[in-house]
Amino acid sequence: MTDDTKKLLNEAMEALGADSCKRGKNWNGYEVYIPVYVNGGYVVGLPLVVLVKDGDVRISTEEEAFEYLDHENN
């Protein structure tokens, strides 16, 4: 992962209010990063993840978040 991609990943985690992230299972050609919330207590909302592919970093859509949950649990 390039420094630019790491920077974008950190920015995406910050946008989600996460303290850090952990690597998830690859999904649909994406590297998946799961937000980790340590200091914020409980998080209410959808289980969004950050998707990385070819240097492009983005937060999942609602639909992708649920599809990833299915993938992760199988």
Side-chain angles (χ1 to χ4, degrees):
M1 183 180 296
T2 68
D3 287 342
D4 287 341
T5 304
K6 287 179 187 177
K7 181 181 176 193
L8 292 171
L9 176 59
N10 287 333
E11 289 173 1
M13 288 301 161
E14 188 175 304
L16 291 172
D19 297 299
S20 63
C21 64
K22 67 177 184 175
R23 180 75 191 267
K25 289 173 147 179
N26 286 355
W27 173 76
N28 281 357
Y30 288 97
E31 293 176 24
V32 178
Y33 294 87
I34 302 167
V36 175
Y37 302 94
V38 177
N39 298 319
Y42 295 98
V43 177
V44 177
L46 294 171
L48 299 176
V49 295
V50 176
L51 304 173
V52 178
K53 185 180 205 177
D54 300 327
D56 181 43
V57 178
R58 65 183 183 84
I59 297 171
S60 66
T61 65
E62 296 171 5
E63 183 177 324
E64 288 171 329
F66 287 115
E67 288 176 11
Y68 179 72
L69 276 179
D70 271 347
H71 169 74
E72 189 178 48
N73 292 319
N74 290 322

